[in-house]
DNA sequence: CTGAAAGCGCTAACAC
DNA sequence: GTGTTAGCGCTTTCAG
């Protein structure tokens, strides 16, 4: 059992705790601990499977070498990938990352953030669902990097894309390429700025083409009840409107579930539609029909978040950075 | 900044640390702290945004109320979902879960497990990639629950399915239903027992039907290089063999990537095939053709893991449990 | 080269 | 009802 402690070793080996601490932390040579002592200590550690307590260490040093990662849903391909890459990156830098899903719930998010702060994470990377969390983090003095979502007028480090521009650009080009006019747009409840931006970008792209976006085709489905809600909304619109010629899924959730609905219940309509989605799932490539995808640079986002966090941690400059990365449209 | 401590409050408010500790930990009434004092302390805490240090608390109490979760890949739908549910469950029980991806790498897995033990997690739930990690965990005395993968002859708590039986049952029924004889089987490098069991189940199902499984159709693709490897292996077999009538994807990775390969490069062949996969992705339902899925009860697995862990934590009985859950075949 | 000792923030047995 | 105090396991300054 993990009862070994630095004191015990000290007692058993009749050396002082200092000596052991130095050896464990690679300062043995610096403090010129004799090779013999070093070996004795190392052997003992090896033999007794001793694991130094990070807790105690963190308590003394004030650093825990842990980073919290909060996203709405770790099982979502986008957040999952970003999280995984960040984890890998920071692990290489000596940090352990704690991933958690907030389920898009402000209470939950705040609680988790608090819990992490209490555990003295050195920093937090998050796709914020609520401003309260951010306020809390600022007050607590925790180095924070946000990604994916930018809350209007908040002064906090950010890594992500320009949702408005990305959406505008892609839809603009889409409209030039295809003679589509009646574009169904499917979004989840757009409390988050991200989705509002994407929707606005689309509408403005229509305008830019001298068209007017048909407002009744701007659908919102319920995040908590995606399958059912998709089915109802899509069916409703299809019954009313026979001239839909294209669909814009504004994120990967609506892309999959929306496509699913069409595929299962409105297959005949599907064939004739031009499809485009924000976020690009591997699935987009082999669906029938294929779906053009606006792809976020997940790995780049993860890298930037990691780098930014590390620089925050090391350099302590509290200048706020916004890193905006380009998207890539995969036309199909 | 987070410099407030219980001592500081004590000094400022001229009460003792004990009093504050009791109030924070909900023992105020038990120890009959006066309402007035309680209020003063609570107000102070509120106002100064005081966050008690879990580190210090854990150090004293020996409990950290954290659980580690290790899986090969959090971004994989199966592990991601299981992880997410466990997280939710245990969070309700007052525990925070730390999810991490091991990338199927024994070194990495061990390192992460060690790091977690050093942080004094109260327990670890993992889909083990290597026995070393398990040995380490046993030695360290950390309550451990494994899921998904069972290492032969290891005495450790386990939650999962019977891969052999599930595979056998499904393929057996598949063979009765469909007149298939030439079944391509696609697996990733089956170092893990899980996949070996699934393969064996399939082969025995053939035998059970009085058939002999055509060994050259048992394909193995490279986990690290899935896309390329799938392409090469599948193409190679298809060139040699024109009578393939069905495909068995032995996990969700080969299911998606295998289907992808067929869809992109061998579409014409795909139409005539009967498909079945271990693990059932939402995608299976709307692919063309559809894919029958052997579905693991992800939520049940998560629940059982959580319950088992909690009972380990509370009851301290070290009797080893193996919980085997049934699968469900979604015929399509 | 090594040891003594203070202190990180909190809990809880024991005192008053 | 509230205070005192001894740890929890580690780091690190200061002595020797």
């Amino acid at each position: 059992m993990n009862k070994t402690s630095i004191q015990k070793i000290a007692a058993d080996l009749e050396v002082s705790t200092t000596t052991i601490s130095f050896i464990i932390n690679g300062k043995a040579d610096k403090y010129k601990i004799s090779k013999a002592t070093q070996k004795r200590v190392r052997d003992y550690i090896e033999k007794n499977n001793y694991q130094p307590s990070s807790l105690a260490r963190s308590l003394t040093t004030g650093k825990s070498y842990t980073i919290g990662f909060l996203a709405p849903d770790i099982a979502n391909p986008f957040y999952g990938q970003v999280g995984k890459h960040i984890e890998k990156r920071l692990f290489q830098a000596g940090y352990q990352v704690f991933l958690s899903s907030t389920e898009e719930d402000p209470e939950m998010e705040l609680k988790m953030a608090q819990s992490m702060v209490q555990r003295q994470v050195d920093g937090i990377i998050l796709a914020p669902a609520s401003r309260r969390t951010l306020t809390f983090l600022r007050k607590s003095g925790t180095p924070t990097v946000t990604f994916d979502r930018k809350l209007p007028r908040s002064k906090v480090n950010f890594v992500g894309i320009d949702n408005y521009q990305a959406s505008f650009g892609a839809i603009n080009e889409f409209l030039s390429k295809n003679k589509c006019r009646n574009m169904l747009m499917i979004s989840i409840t757009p409390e988050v700025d991200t989705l509002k931006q994407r929707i606005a970008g689309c509408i403005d792209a229509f305008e830019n083409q001298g068209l007017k976006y048909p407002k009744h085709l701007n659908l919102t489905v319920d995040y908590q009840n995606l399958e059912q809600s998709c089915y109802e909304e899509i069916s409703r619109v299809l019954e009313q409107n026979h001239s839909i010629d294209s669909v814009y899924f504004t994120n990967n959730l609506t892309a999959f579930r929306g496509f699913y609905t069409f595929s299962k219940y409105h297959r005949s309509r599907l064939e004739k539609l031009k499809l485009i989605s924000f976020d690009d799932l591997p699935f987009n490539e082999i669906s029938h029909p294929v779906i053009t995808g606006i792809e976020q640079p997940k790995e780049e986002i993860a890298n930037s978040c990691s780098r930014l966090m590390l620089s925050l941690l090391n350099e302590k400059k509290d200048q706020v950075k916004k890193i905006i990365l380009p998207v890539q449209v995969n036309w199909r």
Side-chain angles (χ1 to χ4, degrees), chain A:
Chain A
M1 302 304 168
N2 194 21
K3 300 242 49 162
T4 333
S5 80
I6 218 171
Q7 345 267 0
K8 211 184 194 112
I9 308 184
D12 286 3
L13 256 40
E14 298 189 313
V15 292
S16 85
T17 57
T18 317
T19 309
I20 299 167
S21 175
F22 285 158
I23 295 174
I24 290 173
N25 295 301
K27 299 182 186 167
D29 288 338
K30 184 171 156 200
Y31 288 100
K32 306 193 183 159
I33 311 286
S34 73
K35 291 290 174 205
T37 313
Q38 287 194 38
K39 183 158 170 27
R40 276 175 66 220
V41 173
R42 277 191 227 286
D43 286 351
Y44 185 103
I45 287 176
E46 177 76 18
K47 189 163 137 249
N48 295 54
N49 195 28
Y50 162 69
Q51 300 291 326
S53 156
S54 304
L55 291 192
R57 173 182 287 154
S58 303
L59 193 57
T60 8
T61 59
K63 278 216 63 166
S64 67
Y65 287 94
T66 56
I67 300 289
F69 177 92
L70 288 171
D73 181 5
I74 294 295
N76 176 305
F78 176 69
Y79 297 116
Q81 298 279 7
V82 172
K84 207 179 80 168
H85 280 124
I86 289 184
E87 187 190 355
K88 208 189 316 180
R89 279 300 243 210
L90 291 181
F91 193 78
Q92 288 164 356
Y95 288 82
Q96 180 133 4
V97 175
F98 299 137
L99 308 170
S100 281
S101 298
T102 63
E103 305 288 334
E104 210 69 89
D105 174 352
E107 284 308 322
M108 195 87 157
E109 184 179 76
L110 184 60
K111 269 198 190 168
M112 298 193 138
Q114 286 177 332
S115 166
M116 287 173 164
V117 168
Q118 288 172 200
R119 298 216 151 77
Q120 243 166 80
V121 293
D122 295 331
I124 285 194
I125 300 175
L126 81 166
S130 128
R131 166 166 269 122
R132 276 168 60 205
T133 311
L134 256 28
T135 312
F136 164 74
L137 288 173
R138 187 163 34 69
K139 273 198 206 153
S140 79
T142 313
T144 303
V145 172
T146 59
F147 74 101
D148 187 47
R149 297 154 176 209
K150 206 159 45 174
L151 297 189
R153 294 178 314 285
S154 75
K155 287 209 190 349
V156 58
N157 296 288
F158 173 80
V159 174
I161 59 165
D162 182 332
N163 285 284
Y164 175 82
Q165 277 306 332
S167 184
F168 178 87
I171 298 300
N172 194 42
E173 196 170 343
F174 184 91
L175 291 173
S176 311
K177 284 192 174 158
N178 307 290
K179 302 279 151 280
C180 298
R181 296 299 172 256
N182 287 294
M183 176 182 272
L184 187 60
M185 182 156 48
I186 310 183
S187 319
I188 52 169
T189 343
E191 283 151 27
V192 271
D193 199 53
T194 316
L195 292 197
K196 286 189 195 145
Q197 299 289 338
R198 292 177 190 173
I199 294 171
C202 172
I203 293 174
D204 288 3
F206 268 73
E207 197 144 311
N208 188 56
Q209 293 280 331
L211 303 167
K212 183 146 177 52
Y213 181 76
K215 279 202 185 118
H216 60 288
L217 295 185
N218 181 357
L219 251 55
T220 295
V221 295
D222 181 17
Y223 176 73
Q224 304 296 338
N225 187 15
L226 206 54
E227 185 163 356
Q228 177 69 8
S229 180
C230 261
Y231 173 71
E232 288 171 5
E233 285 299 301
I234 291 174
S235 303
R236 187 175 57 71
V237 173
L238 287 186
E239 274 171 30
Q240 299 168 351
N241 198 305
H242 292 272
S243 56
I244 285 165
D245 52 22
S246 51
V247 186
Y248 178 21
F249 305 106
T250 62
N251 73 7
N252 63 16
L253 293 175
T254 57
F256 187 80
R257 202 41 79 180
F259 188 92
Y260 177 97
T261 305
F262 270 102
S263 179
K264 259 189 115 159
Y265 306 106
H266 307 283
R267 191 113 211 38
S268 58
R269 304 291 294 267
L270 191 50
E271 312 282 347
K272 297 157 209 147
L273 300 175
K274 290 284 176 188
L275 307 173
I276 179 167
S277 77
F278 213 107
D279 287 348
D280 195 22
L281 298 172
F283 162 75
N284 284 12
E285 214 175 325
I286 55 172
S287 61
H288 267 293
V290 288
I291 308 171
T292 289
I294 305 171
E295 184 183 358
Q296 301 196 51
K298 293 192 276 286
E299 202 158 339
E300 266 315 306
I301 292 177
N303 288 344
S304 295
C305 284
S306 311
R307 258 198 307 271
L308 189 48
M309 180 51 79
L310 289 175
S311 83
L312 246 44
L313 258 26
N314 299 326
E315 296 156 33
K316 304 240 162 225
K317 54 179 169 190
D318 37 29
Q319 168 212 356
V320 174
K321 268 199 189 166
K322 312 267 182 206
I323 300 179
I324 306 298
L325 270 17
V327 301
Q328 170 184 323
V329 182
N330 301 319
W331 295 101
R332 301 209 174 88

